[in-house]
Every structure is written in structure tokens, then in C-alpha cells.
Amino acid sequence: MCQSKSIVNICLILSCVIVTCYGNTKSKRLLVDDIDIQQLVNDVDTLKQTVQGQQNQIQSLLSLLSAKEAAGAIYTRWGRKDCTGNGTELVYEGFAGGGPFAQDGAAVNYVCLPHDPDFYNGDVSMSPYGHMSTMYGAEYEDNYFGPNMFQKDVPCAVCRVTKASSIMMIPGKSECPWTWKREYYGRLAAGGDDGHGIVAASEYVCVDYSPIALEGGQANEDGKLFVPVKAVCGTLRCPPYKNNAFLTCAVCSK
């Protein structure tokens, strides 16, 4: 009896599928009258469609795999020079900066400034007048973030999660939803809004629970500040929140 080695090989299909082979090993005869040609044609078309469908599925899976490998999400870890590991990579590390706390109209957001900035030749302000913004370094403005952290400069790390496409910071939580991965957790911080000459707006960021300080940055030069954030009952519902309690935070990925 004839036996096909590959269903994809059409020549073998035509010679061995639904046919009878006669004779000895030296002489074999194929009875063409016993072959249903139309059925063979239909079988071949069916096999072609099946193979094409499988190839399409394989291509789709490869595309999904490629997209997954190319996916990624960025977050800044405030108060640290490193990333959390376990699926993350360090893009760069630097120090926190932003607009000065005592300047009306100062930029709101915190930024992570690299240690090796690039400048264009000749791009220097020659006059104190004119419309321009300013960039200052940032300091911990309270020992709440850690022992002896007051007035020390704040490091930061820009991290990429290699197997996630979404990042969010949750204020008031130290854990992430169960379908999300916790990148790090800590204490909620802002630029301050309790007077003391603080007039610039700011944003909320999450300072790592185990922060460090930059070496040699202990002078009280102000600039952009990191101060703790407390809950104030009234329009804020208490419970579940507690009056004057400092807020936690978590950075989560998925």
C-alpha cells in the first residue's frame, strides 16, 4: 500500500490518496478509473484552505507577540536612583527639579533632570528681563519622608516597564488592584499649599517609601519642594479618610 509522507505534497496526495496500487515491487499499475478526480480536487482545495487558515493564525500570533515585546510604559520613581527590577529597566537616573515654590506662574510639574544635560552653543540669557521660565532643583521640605531628609536634594529614576502598557499612580493606597503589578509605593507629596510663602501651583507625586538623598545636597536653597500631603475633612469624606492623616500612594502597572 502506498503511504504519503506529507499531506502538503500534492503529488503524493494524487498518487496515494483513495487509489489502489497493484503489482510487485518491480511493477505497479494505477487504475485511473477508480479515482474520483473531482473529489481529489475538492480535497486539495480543502487542504489549501486549511493550510492558509493556519498560516494566518500563526501570523496573527506572531504579530501579537511582537506587539507585546514592543510594549512598555514609563514611570518616574521619586526619591530613588534605581528601578524596582523584576521586569523594569532603568532609562536614566537624575535629580528632581521644577519651578520655584515662591514664584507666581511657576511651572506645575516635577521633572527628573539628567546628570549630563546638553546645551546649544550661545543659548544663554543675557538679560534678567523678558518672558522666560526657570528650572530649580528640588528638596525634601520635611523629615516626614525619612530621617534627616529635611532640605536634602531629591534623586529620581526614569524607569520602563517592559511587559506593561499602562501606568497609574493611586493616591491614598499602598497596594495596587489585584490585576495590577505594584512598581513601588510610598508617601504622597506636592509642592505645598499651606502658606509659608508657597504660591506656585504643583502636582501630586509619589515619593518612594524608602527614599535616599543626593550626596552633597544639604543646603537650604529651596527651589522646587517636596512636602507631605494630609487629608482635610469637609468636602473630603471622613471616614473613610482621617483628618490630618498623611496620604500614602502606589505606582501600578498593567
Side-chain angles (χ1 to χ4, degrees):
M1 178 181 292
C2 295
Q3 186 174 5
S4 174
K5 294 182 179 180
S6 173
I7 63 173
V8 183
N9 191 320
I10 297 176
C11 292
L12 291 177
I13 291 174
L14 290 174
S15 57
C16 297
V17 176
I18 321 177
V19 300
T20 306
C21 295
Y22 294 93
N24 55 31
T25 57
K26 295 182 179 180
S27 175
K28 294 183 179 180
R29 293 180 301 144
L30 180 64
L31 301 182
V32 179
D33 292 340
D34 295 335
I35 301 175
D36 187 339
I37 300 298
Q38 186 59 48
Q39 184 61 46
L40 280 177
V41 172
N42 293 339
D43 290 342
V44 170
D45 288 341
T46 300
L47 287 173
K48 285 182 178 179
Q49 293 174 5
T50 300
V51 171
Q52 185 62 50
Q54 292 174 342
Q55 289 177 340
N56 291 339
Q57 290 179 353
I58 291 173
Q59 188 61 44
S60 178
L61 290 173
L62 289 175
S63 298
L64 289 174
L65 180 61
S66 177
K68 185 66 175 179
E69 291 177 347
I74 299 292
Y75 69 90
T76 301
R77 190 181 185 191
W78 301 104
R80 300 286 301 189
K81 298 179 180 179
D82 56 344
C83 300
T84 54
N86 189 23
T88 62
E89 60 183 18
L90 178 67
V91 181
Y92 70 91
E93 59 102 356
F95 55 92
F101 75 94
Q103 181 65 52
D104 289 325
V108 172
N109 59 309
Y110 295 90
V111 294
C112 188
L113 296 166
H115 289 294
D116 55 346
D118 300 321
F119 295 97
Y120 295 115
N121 292 332
D123 277 6
V124 179
S125 174
M126 305 302 294
S127 170
Y129 306 103
H131 298 286
M132 63 189 70
S133 189
T134 54
M135 179 71 71
Y136 285 69
E139 299 177 348
Y140 298 109
E141 197 65 10
D142 199 286
N143 283 327
Y144 165 72
F145 298 104
N148 301 315
M149 285 292 185
F150 180 52
Q151 294 182 352
K152 291 184 178 179
D153 295 346
V154 182
C156 55
V158 176
C159 307
R160 176 178 179 265
V161 188
T162 57
K163 295 183 179 180
S165 57
S166 300
I167 288 285
M168 66 175 174
M169 188 275 284
I170 306 179
K173 294 292 293 183
S174 59
E175 299 289 342
C176 296
W178 72 273
T179 57
W180 291 69
K181 173 190 171 186
R182 187 175 72 177
E183 295 299 326
Y184 76 94
Y185 68 101
R187 299 174 170 92
L188 196 65
D193 61 2
D194 59 350
H196 299 92
I198 300 175
V199 296
S202 67
E203 63 178 334
Y204 295 113
V205 294
C206 189
V207 175
D208 195 272
Y209 186 80
S210 300
I212 59 175
L214 289 175
E215 298 82 358
Q218 302 180 11
N220 182 20
E221 297 179 354
D222 290 326
K224 191 72 170 177
L225 304 181
F226 281 75
V227 302
V229 178
K230 67 180 182 180
V232 178
C233 294
T235 52
L236 182 65
R237 294 182 178 274
C238 299
Y241 288 88
K242 300 177 181 179
N243 197 47
N244 293 324
F246 291 122
L247 296 178
T248 59
C249 57
V251 174
C252 310
S253 67
K254 185 176 182 179

